[in-house]
Structure formats: C-alpha cells, structure tokens
Amino acid sequence: MKLSHAKAIFIWGTVLSSVIFLALTYDSQRSFSKRTHEEKLDEHVAAGKWVWQKYNCNDCHTILGIGGYYAPDVTKVMSYRDADWVRRFLKDPPAVWPAERKMPVLNLKDQEIEDVIAFLTWVNGIDTNNWPPKPLAVASAAAPNPGEEIFKTQGCSACHTVGGIGGKIGPDLTHVGSRRSKEWIEEQLINPKSHDPNSIMPSFAKLPEKDREELADYLSGLK
Amino acid sequence: MKYETQKIAYNYFLIATLLFGLQVVFGLITGAKYVWDHDPLINILPFNVSREIHINLLVVWLLFGFMGGTYYLVPEESETEIYSPGLANFQLVLFALIGVTAIVGYIFRWSWGMPFLEQPTILKIGIVIVALIFLFNILMTMLKTRKWTVIQGVLLGGLVMLALLFLFGIFFMKNLTEQYYYWWWVIHLWVEGAWELVTGAIMAFVLLKLTGVERELVEKWLYVETGLVLFTGIVGTGHHYYWIGTPHYWLWVGGIFSALEPLPILFMVIDTLRDVREKKIEIENKTAVYWAIGCAVMHFFGAGVWGFAHTLPQINKWTHGTQITASHGHFAFFGAYAMLNLTVIYFAVPRIKGVKLVRNGLSLMALRTMTFSMILIALSLAVAGIVQVYLQRVLGMDYLTVQGFMKLWYAVFWASAWGFAIGAFMYIVDFFRLSSTTSARAQQ
Ligand code: HEM
Ligand code: HEM
Ligand SMILES: [Fe+2]
C-alpha cells in the first residue's frame, strides 16, 4: 500500500462517517420535539433542570443511564413514586429513607423542589426505547401483588425487612400477618403514633385509601 | 533533545504528574464511600463532589500531558523552535489556575453539574482561551517551516477537533435529551475520536524515534489507523444514543459502527510490536519501549475488548449505567491515555534532562504494579457490575438492596486501588528522581 492510498482511507473514511453522522443528527434533532414531548417542557421544567445541575445530582445518580453509580437511576422515578413522597424526601432525605448509604440534605428551597419534580416528571415521559428494561423475573411471573408493589415504591423496605431483604430500623415484617390484623395495619399507616406515641415511622395518611388497603391486605397475608 | 524550546514540555509533565497523584487520592476517597455505607464526610465532601474532582483531575492531567507531548514533538518535526515560549508558559499557568479554581470551587459546591463538564461556564470560557493560545502557538510554529509531516498533520487535526468539540459542552439546553446528545460530542468524540488522533500521532513519533523504522511505514499506518478510528468512531457515537430519547435506528447504526471500533485499536498493537521487532537501531531507552508496548496492549483490552463487551444494544440495554460502565471507563482511560502520557514522559524527560535512560528498575516496577492493579480494578468492578445487572435489572431487586450484595466486590476493588496507588507513588518518586538526575549521574 502506498502512502497516498493510506491518505485516501483517512480522508474518505472521515468524510463518509461525518456525512452519515450529520445527516442522522439532523433527523434526530427533528425527532426530539415529539419523542420528549417538548410541548410539556415549560419554564418549571427548565428551572428544574438547572436545579438538577446546580446541586450536581448527576454525579451520584444516573439519569437516562448517565452519571455517577452511587445512587439509583432517576429517569423513571416519577413512575413509581408520587410527587408528595419526593417532596418529603427531598426536604430531608435521611429522615424519609434512613438507609446506611445516605443522600445528603441539600437544603433545597421549596420552589426548587417543585421545579425539580416538574423536571423529573417531564423526564419520565421521554421515549427511551423502553429503557430501563422490565426485569425478566417480573415480566415472566404472574401479575405481582399490588400491595407488594406499593410496599416497594413507598420505600417501606428502607426500614423494614421482608424475607431477609431491607432495612433494620423498623421491625421485621416477614410474619407480620400472624400478629397484626388488616385493620391494625391500616391504622398504623394512617397514624403510627396511635400504637406507639414515640413512633418514628412516618405517617402514610396521604396515600390514597385504596393503596393503604392493598398494602394492609398484602402485609396481613404474611403469616 | 535538539531544540531548546522542547524544554517547555517538562513543566507540563511535572503538573500532569502532580495532578495524577491527586486524582488517585480522590479516587480512593470516592471508592471508600462504596465500601463503607456510612460516610463521615457526607456534609463536607459527599460522593458527587469527590467524584467530580476525581474525574476532572483525570481529564486535566491528561490534557497537560498531551500539551507537553505536543510542545516536545512539534519543534523536532518542524525543525524549528516554538514560536513563543512566553505564550507557552503563560498558557500553562493560566490552565493550572483555572484547574485549581475549578477544584476548590467544587468543594464549595460551585458546579455546572453535567458529568465531566462540571466546570462553571466562566471557567469553560477560560479553557477555550487556553486552547486558542495553545493552538495559535503550535500553528505559528508549524507555519515557520511548513514541514507538513503526516505526524504533525494528524496531531494538529486532532487538537483542532478536540478544541472545537469542547464548544458543544458549554451551552445550557432546556431539553435533557438534546443536552446529552451534544454532551456525547465532547465525551465520546474526544476519547474515541480526537484523542485517538492526538495520541496516535504522539505514539507514532515516539516509536519512530525509538526504533528508527522508516518514517513512511509509520506514517502510512498512522493514516490507516486514525482513518478507521474516525470512520467507526464518529457514527459509533450512536452507541450512546440507544436510550436517551433518540430515534430507534441508532440501535442499528450505533451498534454496527461501534462494534468495528476495536479494529483500528488492534492494528495499533500489531503496528507497535512490528516497529519494535523490525527496529533499525539498537533501542537504548528500553523503559519507554516497555511503556509503549504496555500502552498498546492495555489500550486494546480496556477500550477495544471491554468496550466491545457492552456496545451492542442487546447487551447495553442491561448493562447501561452500571458498574460495568465504570469498569470499562477505568480500564480504557488508563490503558489508552494515562499510559500514553507515561510513555511520552519516559521518552521525553530523559532527553530534556540529558540523561541516558536505559532500563529503569523503579519505572518498570511502577509499570507492572499499576498495570496489574488496574486489571484487578477492572475485573472487580466487572464482577460487581454483573451482580448488579443480574439482581437489579434481571430479577428486579431494589437498587440499595443490590448494592449490599455488591459489597464484597467493592472491597476487592478498593484493595486493588491501593495497589494502584502504590504503583502511582513509585512512578511519582521516579519522575522526581529522573528530574533531578544530572547527566553526570546517568541512571541505569
Ligand atoms: C486508586 C485508584 C482509583 C479509585 C479508587 C477510583 C475510584 C473511582 C470511583 C469510586 C469512581 C466513581 C464511579 C461511580 O460513579 O460510581 C470513579 C470514576 C472514574 N474514574 Fe476512577 N478510581 C481510581 C483511579 C482511576 C484511574 C487511574 C483512572 C484513569 C486513568 C480513573 C478513571 C475514572 C473514570 C473515567 C471515571 C468515570 C467512570 C464512568 O463514568 O463510568 N480512575 N473512580
Ligand atoms: C480509549 C478509548 C475509550 C475510553 C477512554 C472510553 C471511556 C469511556 C467512559 C469513561 C465511559 C462512561 C461514560 C459515562 O457514562 O460516564 C464509556 C462508556 C462506553 N464506552 Fe467507552 N471508552 C473508550 C473506547 C470505547 C470503545 C472502543 C468502545 C466500543 C467498542 C466503547 C464502548 C462504550 C460503551 C458502549 C459505553 C456506554 C456504557 C453505558 O451504556 O453505560 N468505548 N467509555
Ligand atoms: Fe463511546
């Protein structure tokens, strides 16, 4: 091979790849509006994106799968947490999720919390080609118990263990159904202080009643 | 060393070496937070802050190394002195000041908050100014004699590409998908594009000088390798456009092109080994040659093999954004770019200092220790990543619970990282020993 051939490989390889790439970039750029629902991208979302950057959330959490791997991916967080939970959490993360590995208290202002929730809600709507994937185990199992789902999404396992998995701050709930009735558990969720005046368990009175019932159904069945 | 102004490179290598040491310290601090969940520094130096410092120091020391390498290479290729040594030194001080400001700023929570590009906008503008001064100085030097060797051409092309791409990381975009689309133009097109050109050219120069092989042969391969790097790597950016809100066709396009990326990296290994085997002069500086070979091989495994392992969308769907990525990030950055800079340093510093370096025991010990530890780091993070993918993505266990099951591998990772730190320390000691050796006490 002569030097001139090598040079031709260099030039034509670069040009060809650049042309393809720029053409696809043009097309992708045009698709963003629809794939990301830009009509819902208002000034709160934009402000929330800046909150996300200003506090450098991204060097602990991934979003769209990019960032630090120290904390959970937040791309679809608004699919499994309600805004109220996130609000309480962001105010004081260690209180709401007292795991050993903690998120620091960032002292966000109330407006910043609202904005970042608007941002995460918008991100939740991005068409990510079905990423993250549905777990195979769940996808193949029969419909999961709705109460079990709520138990997961409300972060109960930060304090409670079920079947050996979870936190140690509250009692083990693996066999809670053998000592507590469904009504008792519902009461515990609405007002934990009714059973123990010094309770440190947060109240879940703000959950829709249906969710509380399904939770209590699930737990009282754990004999 | 043939030209007086090649000495400018030394200060760049010196700063690179110091920042490398600091990068490793912050790596250890960041890694400790995985091993012990309870973080006593949570309110002073939380994970995000120590991580941004760790990865910024990485990029900055590598850039210092590239600049030093360039200042060493260009006079010899252009057969003339650097256009303005004053500008070269000013540029060094300015860049160092911006770097220090950024790091101190991070500790006080002053951050722009996009990974790797956390520098606040005003500092980014400063970095652009540094780049302009640097490019101006290099270009003016080349224009003095207009000796457009292929090595110089590829080097200049890579440096200009590097600077231009940085501009895509400066602007705030409201749409996160769009922001990340162009963020990859910096991150990916740097490491799998521009930086490959810069380091390819520098490596070609070093091998040419060390082995005395024909220039035409070296330059021909340089064209082919960098041509294939750009051909596969530019469209290969698509391997980051699978899941960020970009169209579905990227799964095909990105998958196919990026799967070809290891090919030119394999050529580089073959090329390096051939140059050494078919050497035309007796190689004196064995130390630099060992580093060069180590770099070629580790580059191939870290970037080529570890990159290929998760580049196809069918696999990346499961591994995206897990410790698998961290494993590859460490392996590739070390093998391709950290080792390239260490190779250049062991090639150029003895020449600058007028020392005849032959076989330097401590340096080779550092080479072995760092390489071996980095392999352990990559393997332990890979196992942690496999555990994570299986429990979290396949079985659907919750994030923090899974982190608990990964503890053992984090501990192995952290222990290996201490091994790496010891190797890095040996290198730093050796660098200063080399710097203070006078030609009278030539080292063995
Ligand atoms: C003592 C040795 C080191 C330790 C303990 C260490 C530790 C870490 C940790 C804990 C992270 C954060 C990962 C995350 O976000 O979850 C990180 C990120 C990173 N480190 Fe290191 N590191 C070390 C040395 C190095 C070296 C020598 C290099 C390259 C030459 C390097 C390159 C990187 C890169 C590129 C990232 C970002 C990874 C990504 O985004 O996937 N580190 N390091
Ligand atoms: C020297 C060259 C390379 C370096 C320094 C490098 C470094 C990195 C780093 C630091 C990341 C993580 C970025 C982040 O999200 O924070 C990454 C991601 C990735 N790299 Fe590389 N890389 C190199 C070459 C390659 C090659 C040749 C391939 C493919 C053959 C590849 C495939 C990938 C893929 C698929 C990801 C995305 C991982 C994910 O989805 O989380 N890399 N690389
Ligand atoms: Fe890439």
Side-chain angles (χ1 to χ4, degrees), chain B residues 376-437:
Chain B
L376 289 183
I377 286 178
L379 288 176
S380 48
L381 287 179
V383 177
I386 291 168
V387 172
Q388 182 176 20
V389 169
Y390 185 69
L391 295 182
Q392 192 182 318
R393 297 264 164 88
V394 178
L395 296 186
M397 266 167 133
D398 118 286
Y399 175 91
L400 274 180
T401 311
V402 173
Q403 292 294 310
F405 289 111
M406 294 157 69
K407 273 275 171 57
L408 170 65
W409 300 102
Y410 284 137
V412 176
F413 157 65
W414 204 67
S416 316
W418 272 99
F420 187 90
I422 293 169
F425 184 70
M426 290 184 214
Y427 157 68
I428 295 171
V429 169
D430 192 54
F431 178 85
F432 284 105
R433 230 177 46 159
L434 196 58
S435 307
S436 58
T437 315

Side-chain angles (χ1 to χ4, degrees), chain A residues 1 17 25 27-29 35-36 38 49 53 56 58-59 64 69-71 101 129 131 136-137 165, chain B residues 34 48 51 112 118 173 175 178-182 220 231 242 245 249-250 317 320 394 399 401 403:
Chain A
M1 187 169 48
S17 202
T25 293
D27 185 73
S28 300
Q29 184 78 51
R35 295 184 61 99
T36 67
E38 268 185 355
K49 175 166 178 285
Q53 284 183 229
N56 193 20
N58 214 166
D59 266 313
L64 300 173
Y69 314 116
Y70 186 69
R101 191 190 290 178
N129 292 327
W131 191 88
L136 289 182
I165 294 172
Chain B
Y34 274 118
N48 56 345
R51 182 185 197 260
W112 195 66
E118 293 94 344
M173 297 168 197
N175 188 321
E178 190 183 14
Q179 182 94 59
Y180 264 124
Y181 191 92
Y182 292 105
K220 211 161 64 184
F231 176 69
Y242 301 154
Y249 53 69
W250 284 111
K317 177 176 186 169
H320 178 50
V394 178
Y399 175 91
T401 311
Q403 292 294 310

Side-chain angles (χ1 to χ4, degrees), chain B residues 56 77-78 119 195 202 232 245 296 307 309 381 426:
Chain B
N56 276 242
E77 288 287 290
S78 283
Q119 313 74 244
W195 289 25
I202 295 179
T232 57
L381 287 179
M426 290 184 214

Side-chain angles (χ1 to χ4, degrees), chain A residues 22-81:
Chain A
L22 290 176
L24 294 182
T25 293
Y26 175 73
D27 185 73
S28 300
Q29 184 78 51
R30 284 195 325 174
S31 76
F32 290 159
S33 157
K34 216 169 121 203
R35 295 184 61 99
T36 67
H37 303 284
E38 268 185 355
E39 73 281 358
K40 292 189 187 145
L41 203 173
D42 59 15
E43 68 274 27
H44 289 296
V45 174
K49 175 166 178 285
W50 176 241
V51 174
W52 170 259
Q53 284 183 229
K54 183 177 156 201
Y55 290 90
N56 193 20
C57 313
N58 214 166
D59 266 313
C60 282
H61 294 273
T62 48
I63 189 164
L64 300 173
I66 306 166
Y69 314 116
Y70 186 69
D73 188 83
V74 297
T75 313
K76 298 290 171 189
V77 65
M78 298 314 285
S79 297
Y80 57 91
R81 304 260 190 237

Side-chain angles (χ1 to χ4, degrees), chain B residues 74-75 94 101 139-140 166 200 233 235 239 250 363 374-375:
Chain B
V74 170
L94 186 59
T101 312
L139 190 65
M140 292 307 282
F166 184 65
V235 181
H239 65 177
W250 284 111
S363 171
M374 183 48 79
I375 293 172

Side-chain angles (χ1 to χ4, degrees), chain B residues 217-230:
Chain B
L217 184 74
V218 171
E219 297 201 323
K220 211 161 64 184
W221 277 87
L222 180 60
Y223 261 147
V224 173
E225 286 155 4
T226 51
L228 288 178
V229 162
L230 291 180

